Amino acid sequence: MIKKKILLVYLIMSFGLTNFAQQAISIATKSNVLILETDKDNSLLSSYFGKKLNNEHEYPTIQSLDKYKPGSDDLFNKREAYIASGSLNLLEPALTVTHSDGNKSTVLTFSNVETEQIDQNRKLTSIVLKDAKYQFQVVLKYLAYYNEDVIEQWVEIKHQEKGIVVLNKYASANLTLSGKKFFLKNHYSGATREMRSEEQQLLHGIKTIDSKLGTRTNLLHSSSFMISIDQLATEDAGEVIAGSLAWSGNFKLDFETFDEYYLRITAGINNFSSNYTLKAGENFITPRFVYTYSTSGKGLASRNLQSWVKNYQLLDGKGERLTILNNWETTYFDFNDEKLNELTKDTKKLGVDVFLLDDGWFGNKYPRNGSTSGLGDWQYNKQKLKNGISALGKEATANGVKFGIWLEPEMVNPKSELYENHPDWIIKQPERKEYYMRNQLVLDLTNSKVQDFLFKTVDDIFKEVPELAFIKWDCNSLIYNANSTTLKNQDHFYLEYVIGLNNVLERIRAKYPKVPMMLCAGGGSRVDYAALKYFTEFWPSDNTNPYDRIFIQWEYSYYFPSIAIDNHITDMGNQPIKFKTDVAMMGKLGYDVRVNELSKNDLLFSQNAVQTYTSFKNIVWHGQQYRLQDPYENKVASISYVNDARDEAIVFNYYVATLFTNGVSLPIKLKGLDPAKKYKIEEINLYPGTKSPIDKEKTYSGDFLMKVGFNPQVNANRTSVILRIK
């Protein structure tokens, strides 16, 4: 680790038309650069964000070439790097402050800059801005990941005023883009219909995407997005900014066009009902806004983010994953020791790694025999499990598989001992009617006693089942009637809830750093980069219909790597088991099936499929992903993964036509191969008794496959085809 902290004194540069001193600050990655400069008022401006120039000494020329002047309103639309409200800039601010004397005006000017070379790939730039009238400062933080072409941006705020300061708004970033047109790709969701995509031109005004849900904050809108500049970008062409806010709570993204040629993105915590009272000397740190820039379309932007996630954000992002047999859709709440012991044998028979015991294993005074009772009472049900969960763990080990368990630690049923004994631990408004989602309420994680209870819940299960190898962490309710019985300042509630949750997860990971955990939350409604620090994977949707999953998984792929996405084969959908399995293999494979009810051929196919998946899973998890053919615009969807050596690839192809078609398809052009290498193509994961029409002995150059393509012969009779290219 190279650890150097240097106070940089930047070269004094001057424009040809002015005589004021100018500071220029460069935030650079392998291909891109963000240039920040001061003006004659010592304001910090965003001068350029785009591809690096060959000659870095030409950056100061950029600002002088901008001849556009909005009449007499030059100051009104300054392209400030971080806008504070109450002064001359009247665009949407990143920061709004009520100072200790009641004044709401903040003017930030440049003070100094420091850089820290963390290692050969990461460089942190810290820019200090101060208000000359008040002892108030904002430090803009930019962490550049050189090889991934990714920047993390956040701010740290503190003051030494004679009294408290109230932060009314505290975004992580303002990012200014220049162009003639801007197109926003964003995602909206609902239960079982996650990550629906829409793309629109941003016209006048502000487009806001936000969440006020408290938990499951991505349920309605995703905190990830893409911006195309000048024209709609394709997979392989066009300028694209891809970004996401790393925060598991309420978020707000504002997209504001101004002066005809600019777009300002303001990203941060949603300040809805969340004024923050900041004491003198206290340091307020915002979450990180993560973004990348690509001049080669959406595909490269995705690969940049995926590489960053795997290398730096996702827990064990470069490691292995376990395949699972989950009992939920097999038994639901109706099970006992005998049924579960048979399922551990089925886990071994199928060939997967883990038997996962889902909901319904706990509660005695109020048994968890349905969704209305028991939640919060984390003692095993003595009627269902006479020998306890410890015996299940031992049984799994005896059968040569691992044991995992389902939890929903943040939640409580009103019909539970926890609710009866600790009504002060529940989030609710006094003297108001309780409102339930899925028959449950949310525990108050702003309360340290509740945090202790959550940690103890997990810790006690590990004590009872030392061999516990997997946790499925669910979160099925939103926060209604937001209020804490112990929190002194209710304005801090939404922030303190997330801080409390993270405190619990930090403690769990300190004691159990390696145990895989799936973030469930009723589907992909709690999926953000911050959560992935603690979880090895997430459940993208309760909709496991493989046809729908093609589209859901396609959209998640814009921001999240396949190793993080759990895909299970279930009874949902009437497609054959091969189609279901082929779709689930495009990520982390799992099963929710009645193994004992599979036909002889379906069982044989599934056993072979697990082995086939094992032979190529590392390419899917750790290779470079290329979206080849869009399911929205084609009758065949296609996506590929190429290993780093570019000598092997896995290509998934799915028939998605819903109208009658003649079945003739053009070849699909591959990507990411070595044009000079020769390749053979073999169809894999065939159903027993079927023969592939693809000649696995024929050779093709990488150049041919990328320019002409290959026809996987997918049609209404061959609805899914997986190709191994070597």
Side-chain angles (χ1 to χ4, degrees):
M1 295 274 285
I2 303 169
K3 287 258 185 183
K4 294 181 181 177
K5 203 165 190 178
I6 308 167
L7 180 64
L8 293 186
V9 180
Y10 283 90
L11 294 174
I12 301 298
M13 296 172 267
S14 61
F15 288 167
L17 302 178
T18 58
N19 57 6
F20 58 87
Q22 178 191 16
Q23 296 279 353
I25 302 168
S26 170
I27 317 293
T29 61
K30 180 173 60 178
S31 305
N32 308 322
V33 67
L34 171 65
I35 300 295
L36 306 173
E37 297 176 304
T38 56
D39 66 4
K40 57 184 175 61
D41 300 313
N42 211 26
S43 299
L44 184 68
L45 307 183
S46 178
S47 176
Y48 176 77
F49 182 42
K51 291 195 72 172
K52 287 166 75 170
L53 301 181
N54 292 332
N55 184 356
E56 63 182 18
H57 299 295
E58 292 186 300
Y59 288 125
T61 308
I62 295 173
Q63 199 173 96
S64 67
L65 293 175
D66 179 11
K67 303 300 181 183
Y68 180 76
K69 300 294 181 184
S72 60
D73 299 329
D74 291 6
L75 290 175
F76 176 79
N77 287 340
K78 269 188 179 181
R79 297 192 297 283
E80 289 178 81
Y82 193 76
I83 297 176
S85 66
S87 185
L88 295 175
N89 199 322
L90 301 180
L91 293 173
E92 183 65 23
L95 179 70
T96 302
V97 177
T98 303
H99 293 282
S100 57
D101 62 0
N103 194 312
K104 288 183 173 290
S105 173
T106 303
V107 178
L108 297 175
T109 55
F110 174 81
S111 175
N112 62 283
V113 58
E114 294 180 352
T115 66
E116 180 183 354
Q117 192 72 45
I118 297 173
D119 54 33
Q120 291 183 337
N121 193 51
R122 294 179 294 167
K123 183 178 182 180
L124 175 64
T125 302
S126 303
I127 305 171
V128 180
L129 306 178
K130 293 184 177 179
D131 187 313
K133 177 177 170 62
Y134 297 98
Q135 288 186 302
F136 182 91
Q137 78 170 32
V138 174
V139 183
L140 305 185
K141 298 280 190 174
Y142 299 86
L143 182 56
Y145 295 81
Y146 186 83
N147 290 321
E148 291 79 12
D149 277 326
V150 164
I151 297 173
E152 290 180 3
Q153 185 174 341
W154 70 99
V155 302
E156 297 184 5
I157 305 168
K158 60 184 176 182
H159 72 93
Q160 293 295 336
E161 298 185 30
K162 296 179 180 179
I164 61 169
V165 164
V166 178
L167 305 180
N168 307 112
K169 186 176 182 181
Y170 32 85
S172 299
N174 278 145
L175 183 63
T176 300
L177 310 177
S178 60
K180 297 175 183 177
K181 293 180 180 179
F182 305 96
F183 299 87
L184 170 67
K185 177 181 175 67
N186 62 287
H187 308 268
Y188 62 98
S189 301
T192 71
R193 57 185 190 278
E194 285 80 4
M195 292 297 279
R196 302 286 178 92
S197 176
E198 59 186 3
E199 200 155 14
Q200 59 194 293
Q201 184 178 352
L202 293 169
L203 300 175
H204 297 92
I206 301 178
K207 168 74 174 179
T208 297
I209 297 172
D210 74 345
S211 175
K212 306 179 185 74
L213 306 179
T215 57
R216 302 185 62 183
T217 49
N218 283 261
L219 176 62
L220 302 179
H221 303 284
S222 172
S223 53
S224 302
F225 65 90
M226 287 187 167
I227 294 288
S228 298
I229 301 174
D230 290 337
Q231 59 188 350
L232 283 171
T234 65
E235 274 298 302
D236 304 303
E239 286 187 82
V240 175
I241 305 291
S244 188
L245 186 72
W247 177 246
S248 301
N250 294 344
F251 64 85
K252 188 176 185 183
L253 306 171
D254 287 324
F255 303 88
E256 181 177 19
T257 58
F258 68 99
D259 288 353
E260 298 185 47
Y261 299 111
Y262 298 102
L263 172 69
R264 179 169 280 117
I265 302 169
T266 305
I269 295 173
N270 197 333
N271 57 324
F272 161 75
S273 193
S274 295
N275 288 333
Y276 191 85
T277 301
L278 188 66
K279 299 175 184 177
E282 182 183 357
N283 195 22
F284 182 88
I285 304 174
T286 70
R288 302 186 181 198
F289 175 53
V290 183
Y291 56 95
T292 187
Y293 170 78
S294 162
T295 56
S296 299
K298 297 172 182 174
L300 178 59
S302 291
R303 289 188 290 278
N304 288 346
L305 289 177
Q306 289 175 10
S307 294
W308 171 81
V309 170
K310 288 185 286 189
N311 291 337
Y312 291 100
Q313 195 66 16
L314 175 65
L315 185 65
D316 198 23
K318 296 181 183 179
E320 295 293 310
R321 293 296 184 270
L322 299 170
T323 51
I324 287 172
L325 175 65
N326 193 348
N327 75 301
W328 178 242
E329 293 192 23
T330 303
T331 66
Y332 295 100
F333 294 101
D334 181 19
F335 55 79
N336 54 30
D337 289 302
E338 291 75 19
K339 280 187 179 181
L340 297 180
N341 288 335
E342 286 302 313
L343 286 173
T344 62
K345 295 174 183 175
D346 287 343
T347 305
K348 181 66 174 179
K349 183 192 296 184
L350 190 59
V352 297
D353 302 311
V354 177
F355 168 64
L356 175 64
L357 174 59
D358 213 290
D359 195 358
W361 57 269
F362 50 91
N364 287 292
K365 181 178 179 181
Y366 302 103
R368 183 70 169 176
N369 295 323
S371 63
T372 60
S373 64
L375 202 57
D377 300 341
W378 300 105
Q379 302 82 34
Y380 73 86
N381 182 280
K382 295 178 181 178
Q383 289 185 324
K384 293 181 182 179
L385 307 176
K386 293 182 173 58
N387 299 315
I389 55 174
S390 60
L392 293 174
K394 292 173 183 175
E395 181 72 17
T397 301
N399 281 289
V401 296
K402 299 178 186 296
F403 180 69
I405 204 163
W406 177 95
L407 291 169
E408 194 173 5
E410 298 166 69
M411 303 295 161
V412 61
N413 286 130
K415 193 175 180 180
S416 68
E417 292 184 79
L418 181 65
Y419 182 91
E420 291 176 346
N421 296 333
H422 295 285
D424 56 320
W425 285 9
I426 315 297
I427 294 172
K428 58 181 179 179
Q429 290 284 352
E431 301 179 6
R432 292 192 186 276
K433 180 182 177 181
E434 293 178 353
Y435 190 82
Y436 309 130
M437 184 174 187
R438 294 196 180 184
N439 307 300
Q440 62 196 50
L441 294 167
V442 185
L443 294 176
D444 180 11
L445 281 176
T446 71
N447 186 335
S448 61
K449 292 181 180 178
V450 177
Q451 295 175 31
D452 291 341
F453 170 77
L454 261 66
F455 174 76
K456 186 175 186 300
T457 295
V458 176
D459 195 36
D460 284 350
I461 292 173
F462 274 104
K463 290 176 182 176
E464 197 163 354
V465 190
E467 59 270 66
L468 186 68
F470 194 93
I471 292 175
K472 179 181 177 182
W473 183 299
D474 220 333
C475 173
N476 283 311
S477 184
L478 309 178
I479 294 178
Y480 298 101
N481 294 327
N483 181 74
S484 167
T485 61
T486 58
L487 194 63
K488 292 181 180 179
N489 188 341
Q490 297 299 323
D491 278 343
H492 291 192
F493 173 80
Y494 286 115
L495 278 74
E496 293 293 342
Y497 183 90
V498 179
I499 292 169
L501 172 63
N502 289 343
N503 286 343
V504 174
L505 294 170
E506 289 280 356
R507 291 173 66 183
I508 291 170
R509 281 309 179 196
K511 190 165 184 179
Y512 307 103
K514 296 294 186 182
V515 176
M517 293 205 305
M518 176 203 297
L519 185 60
C520 187
S525 54
R526 198 191 226 173
V527 181
D528 67 274
Y529 289 157
L532 295 185
K533 177 182 177 183
Y534 307 106
F535 292 86
T536 51
E537 55 218 74
F538 69 89
W539 183 243
S541 177
D542 281 345
N543 182 352
T544 54
N545 183 311
Y547 183 87
D548 291 342
R549 269 301 187 101
I550 291 168
F551 294 85
I552 292 171
Q553 292 166 201
W554 181 275
E555 294 300 332
Y556 277 116
S557 76
Y558 283 101
Y559 314 100
F560 300 97
S562 295
I563 190 173
I565 302 175
D566 279 299
N567 306 323
H568 285 197
I569 297 121
T570 74
D571 288 338
M572 190 177 288
N574 58 7
Q575 299 88 352
I577 195 167
K578 172 174 164 52
F579 187 89
K580 292 180 177 183
T581 305
D582 287 356
V583 172
M585 283 179 164
M586 198 175 70
K588 210 215 78 171
L589 181 68
Y591 288 83
D592 271 85
V593 298
R594 297 174 181 86
V595 177
N596 63 327
E597 295 181 9
L598 293 175
S599 69
K600 181 181 177 181
N601 275 345
D602 280 359
L603 176 59
L604 177 60
F605 167 77
S606 299
Q607 291 169 329
N608 291 338
V610 172
Q611 294 180 31
T612 301
Y613 179 72
T614 300
S615 74
F616 69 69
K617 63 186 181 183
N618 280 309
I619 299 175
V620 173
W621 295 346
H622 303 299
Q624 293 291 306
Q625 180 191 69
Y626 296 89
R627 291 180 291 267
L628 305 179
Q629 200 155 274
D630 193 325
Y632 298 95
E633 299 176 358
N634 300 276
K635 57 190 176 185
V636 175
S638 186
I639 194 164
S640 73
Y641 300 85
V642 183
N643 68 359
D644 290 340
R646 296 197 294 170
D647 59 12
E648 190 168 359
I650 304 296
V651 186
F652 298 91
N653 307 275
Y654 311 111
Y655 186 72
V656 294
T658 55
L659 299 175
F660 177 79
T661 174
N662 61 17
V664 176
S665 297
L666 293 172
I668 296 172
K669 294 178 182 177
L670 304 184
K671 301 174 185 177
L673 303 178
D674 185 335
K677 283 189 169 79
K678 296 288 186 179
Y679 296 90
K680 288 184 177 181
I681 300 176
E682 178 185 7
E683 182 177 353
I684 58 175
N685 212 40
L686 293 166
Y687 193 80
T690 62
K691 185 178 179 181
S692 174
I694 293 170
D695 182 358
K696 65 180 181 180
E697 298 303 323
K698 188 172 176 58
T699 60
Y700 307 84
S701 69
D703 180 64
F704 179 92
L705 292 172
M706 291 190 291
K707 290 178 179 175
V708 177
F710 183 81
N711 195 329
Q713 301 183 53
V714 180
N715 53 53
N717 298 315
R718 278 169 50 83
T719 54
S720 63
V721 172
I722 301 179
L723 302 176
R724 188 200 300 268
I725 301 177
K726 296 184 75 170

